[in-house]
């Protein structure tokens, strides 16, 4: 237990230092924050544009798709804020600077996100939260206690699942250093894909981005139950309660893959 | 991956619209998703910072006293890279798309020729915009914000997210008035055969006009910048 506490203290110090240093360049910080917000809002603009043209996508109306956008983008934004920095491992391996992380008495999986922490990434979550709140109030949901609890639970589990996906895809770099773009197409691709109902995609996309990388549990599965939306894939409603279990499983897998990666790691020797 | 995702979403849109939206059927939508993906890298849609970096570090001085025109020098370097990226990063998305979908490829040589010219001009416009955006570094030192802004506006108004024909009419009109459509939407439409006959000439002429106008803008900015530049030592 003491271990965990000292780890958290170190994490807090590292992140705090990073935030203070970013804050030295305030204009730059604010500009980046805004650009992150606008990038994310563009995806919302797409949904709005499409809803002008056709009343529904895959049978889901605007407010239902907007709920999906809100859930996915919020989880993605939080994952981006806290975990996505693991992808810099590719650069560190290439430059040989990863060895430094290995020498320090803190797990690499904690060090990387902490030392590359960037508060400006919170910009992604801003349009997501606003959209989620507005869309949930517009979506004519039959609010019950369990449905109310489902929303924060989904966001937390979703963030963890996205984080795990980031760790797993970043781990590819231990075996193939140049594979960062492949990794990005899964993380960013997933973040984009799940803003729309899963059933608009073909089977192989659903299998890969929905179930193998279990990102269907980030928004689509709980949303089907929450919104009582058209459900052509026949997702049973009990599945809506499983995201926390999926999150735990995802963390276990991510941890195993990351460790295997580190064992496989051969320094460049510089 | 993004090509596939956008293709399926657009198929969903076409289906919801009863097979056709704004006169675009599924085949057009799918091909559009992949052809725009192919155009991304070659037109510099991901941003370009090399010149701005040289301005920041002062290396630009070397560029300024070379006995060649600065803008043409950079255009030449851009053209070479762009030609290579069209091959290396432009062809794979179309091939990958063709594995799963029946893509609509131009039936006649004439369309291919117009398309080739249109792509060259699109790349040229891409250069002219980025050149001007990079020159902002003479005044701001850090022009990354401007570069990002260009990328964002291009992504939306160039039709790289959804074809601008799906925009509400007033927004499409705005998009058509901006140079960004000429970088992605227009070459894609040419590829899809939506500018037949004389329409092709109009499309190319508009692109050429933008290319020239934006080059001129870059030239004016360069003139203003070189008058104010102060060289620190040697």
């Amino acid at each position: 237990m003491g271990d965990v506490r000292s780890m958290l203290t170190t994490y807090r110090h590292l992140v705090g230092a990073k935030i203070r240093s970013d804050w030295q360049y305030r204009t730059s910080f604010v500009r980046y924050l805004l650009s992150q917000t606008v990038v994310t809002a563009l995806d919302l603009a797409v949904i709005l544009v499409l809803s002008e043209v056709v009343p529904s996508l895959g049978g889901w109306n605007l407010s239902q798709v907007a709920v999906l956008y809100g859930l996915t983008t919020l989880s993605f934004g939080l994952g981006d804020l806290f975990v996505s920095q693991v992808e810099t491992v590719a650069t560190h391996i290439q430059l040989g600077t990863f060895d430094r992380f290995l020498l320090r008495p803190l797990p690499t999986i904690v060090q990387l996100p902490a030392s590359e922490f960037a508060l400006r990434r919170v910009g992604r979550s801003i349009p997501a939260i606003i959209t989620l709140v507005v869309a949930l109030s517009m979506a004519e949901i039959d609010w019950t206690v369990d449905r109310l609890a489902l929303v924060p639970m989904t966001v937390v589990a979703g963030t963890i699942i996205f984080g795990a996906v980031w760790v797993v895809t970043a781990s590819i770099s231990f075996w193939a250093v140049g594979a960062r773009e492949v990794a990005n197409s899964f993380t960013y691709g997933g973040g984009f894909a799940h803003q729309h109902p899963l059933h608009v995609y073909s089977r192989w996309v659903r299998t890969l981005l929905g179930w193998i990388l279990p990102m269907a549990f980030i928004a689509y599965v709980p949303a089907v139950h929450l919104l009582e939306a058209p459900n052509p894939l026949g997702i049973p409603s009990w599945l809506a309660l499983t995201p926390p279990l999926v999150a735990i499983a995802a963390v276990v897998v991510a941890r195993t893959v990351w460790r295997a990666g580190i064992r496989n790691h051969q320094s460049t020797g510089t | 991956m993004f090509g596939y995702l956008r293709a399926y979403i657009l198929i969903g849109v076409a289906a919801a619209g009863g097979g056709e939206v704004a006169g675009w059927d599924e085949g057009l939508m799918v091909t559009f998703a992949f052809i725009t993906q192919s155009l991304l890298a070659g037109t510099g849609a991901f941003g370009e910072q090399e010149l701005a970096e040289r301005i920041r570090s002062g290396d630009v001085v070397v560029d300024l006293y070379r006995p060649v025109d600065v803008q043409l020098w950079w255009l030449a370097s851009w053209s070479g890279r762009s030609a290579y990226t069209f091959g290396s990063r432009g062809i794979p998305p179309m091939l990958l798309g063709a594995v799963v979908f029946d893509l609509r490829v131009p039936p006649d040589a004439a369309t291919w020729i117009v398309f080739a010219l249109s792509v060259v001009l699109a790349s040229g416009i891409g250069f002219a915009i980025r050149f001007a955006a990079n020159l902002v570094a003479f005044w701001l030192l850090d022009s990354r914000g401007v570069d990002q802004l260009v990328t964002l506006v291009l992504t939306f108004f160039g039709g790289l997210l959804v074809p601008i024909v799906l925009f509400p009419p007033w927004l499409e009109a705005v998009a058509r008035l901006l140079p960004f459509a000429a970088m992605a939407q227009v070459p894609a439409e040419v590829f899809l055969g939506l500018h037949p006959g004389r329409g092709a000439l109009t499309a190319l002429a508009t692109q050429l006009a933008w290319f020239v106008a934006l080059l001129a803008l870059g030239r004016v900015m360069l003139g203003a910048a070189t008058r104010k530049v102060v060289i620190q030592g040697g």
Side-chain angles (χ1 to χ4, degrees):
Chain A
M1 212 49 214
D3 263 9
V4 175
R5 195 170 305 150
S6 79
M7 208 156 84
L8 282 177
T9 317
T10 320
Y11 180 81
R12 219 177 44 231
H13 283 311
L14 285 170
V15 169
K18 198 70 186 33
I19 292 175
R20 281 194 301 281
S21 88
D22 278 350
W23 193 237
Q24 297 302 312
Y25 299 91
R26 249 155 274 186
T27 334
S28 194
F29 174 83
V30 171
R31 223 166 43 203
Y32 276 114
L33 184 97
L34 283 179
S35 84
Q36 296 269 322
T37 310
V38 176
V39 170
T40 316
L42 273 188
D43 289 339
L44 181 65
V46 169
I47 293 173
L48 291 174
V49 164
L50 294 182
S51 79
E52 284 280 315
V53 189
V54 288
S56 67
L57 186 64
W60 289 39
N61 63 29
L62 173 61
S63 53
Q64 291 170 327
V65 175
V67 168
L68 271 186
Y69 166 88
L71 285 174
T72 304
T73 312
L74 184 54
S75 296
F76 182 83
L78 295 175
D80 185 49
L81 179 64
F82 291 113
V83 191
S84 73
Q85 299 86 344
V86 292
E87 70 183 14
T88 59
V89 72
T91 320
H92 286 299
I93 291 173
Q94 226 162 9
L95 296 177
T97 43
F98 187 64
D99 300 9
R100 263 188 250 156
F101 289 90
L102 288 171
L103 286 172
R104 295 179 193 146
L106 191 67
T108 48
I109 201 75
V110 180
Q111 278 186 64
L112 276 173
S115 56
E116 310 269 351
F117 190 85
L119 188 62
R120 58 169 186 265
R121 289 170 192 259
V122 84
R124 279 188 196 276
S125 304
I126 296 169
I129 293 178
I130 298 172
T131 311
L132 186 59
V133 172
V134 174
L136 282 175
S137 60
M138 280 169 51
E140 291 169 16
I141 298 168
D142 176 19
W143 285 109
T144 53
V145 178
D146 60 324
R147 288 215 169 104
L148 208 57
L150 190 63
V151 177
M153 186 193 84
T154 304
V155 172
V156 173
T159 304
I160 296 172
I161 295 173
F162 256 129
V165 171
W166 242 300
V167 171
V168 170
T169 53
S171 304
I172 302 175
S173 305
F174 286 114
W175 288 275
V177 162
R180 192 161 167 176
E181 280 185 36
V182 179
N184 276 345
S185 76
F186 288 119
T187 46
Y188 286 83
F192 173 70
H194 292 281
Q195 294 171 351
H196 300 272
L198 189 62
H199 55 264
V200 304
Y201 305 112
S202 67
R203 176 181 284 274
W204 69 269
V205 175
R206 291 202 306 261
T207 311
L208 182 63
L209 290 184
W211 312 113
I212 296 182
L213 296 173
M215 294 191 275
F217 293 90
I218 288 169
Y220 182 74
V221 168
V224 166
H225 173 65
L226 184 70
L227 302 165
E228 297 175 279
N231 180 12
L233 300 178
I235 308 280
S237 63
W238 59 263
L239 216 54
L241 297 173
T242 55
L245 302 176
V246 176
I248 293 169
V251 168
V252 172
V253 172
R255 192 183 150 101
T256 315
V257 174
W258 185 260
R259 286 195 166 172
I262 287 187
R263 264 200 304 280
N264 183 70
H265 171 63
Q266 288 175 327
S267 168
T268 53
T270 41
Chain B
M1 186 51 93
F2 275 95
Y4 284 119
L5 297 175
R6 287 171 52 228
Y8 286 118
I9 291 168
L10 290 176
I11 290 175
V13 170
E20 203 180 273
V21 175
W24 282 41
D25 62 14
E26 202 183 291
L28 281 188
M29 299 261 200
V30 169
T31 312
F32 183 88
F34 287 100
I35 191 73
T36 44
Q37 207 71 21
S38 290
L39 290 169
L40 280 178
T43 52
F46 297 117
E48 169 63 39
Q49 279 289 295
E50 203 181 329
L51 175 57
E53 202 44 53
R54 287 177 73 82
I55 293 171
R56 210 175 60 80
S57 66
D59 289 347
V60 71
V61 168
V62 182
D63 300 347
L64 287 174
Y65 70 56
R66 278 194 187 107
V68 286
D69 184 81
V70 177
Q71 198 178 29
L72 288 179
W73 166 277
W74 282 96
L75 176 59
S77 130
W78 172 283
S79 308
R81 244 183 320 162
S82 170
Y84 173 76
T85 26
F86 271 123
S88 67
R89 299 184 61 178
I91 295 172
M94 284 303 278
L95 291 181
L96 285 171
V99 171
V100 177
F101 298 104
D102 204 3
L103 297 184
R104 203 160 296 174
V105 177
D108 51 15
T111 316
W112 274 110
I113 293 169
V114 178
F115 174 66
L117 290 173
S118 181
V119 167
V120 170
L121 285 170
S123 165
I125 298 170
F127 164 76
I129 289 184
R130 297 293 174 180
F131 185 77
N134 273 243
L135 287 183
V136 173
F138 273 118
W139 291 272
L140 289 185
L141 279 186
D142 185 359
S143 74
R144 275 179 299 179
V146 181
D147 200 58
Q148 274 184 337
L149 187 70
V150 171
T151 304
L152 283 180
V153 179
L154 165 67
T155 312
F156 190 71
F157 284 109
L160 292 171
L161 288 171
V162 284
I164 63 174
V165 293
L166 298 185
F167 286 1
W170 63 270
L171 196 60
E172 185 187 346
V174 171
R176 294 266 175 210
L177 286 176
L178 296 171
F180 306 103
M183 289 173 64
Q185 177 80 26
V186 170
E189 284 174 351
V190 168
F191 186 84
L192 295 168
L194 297 175
H195 292 286
R198 303 189 71 165
L201 289 181
T202 319
L204 290 179
T206 317
Q207 283 187 298
L208 186 63
W210 272 120
F211 179 46
V212 173
L214 289 163
L215 276 186
L217 172 70
R219 201 149 268 279
V220 171
M221 286 176 71
L222 186 66
T226 43
R227 271 195 296 283
K228 84 170 248 308
V229 77
V230 179
I231 298 160
Q232 311 274 0

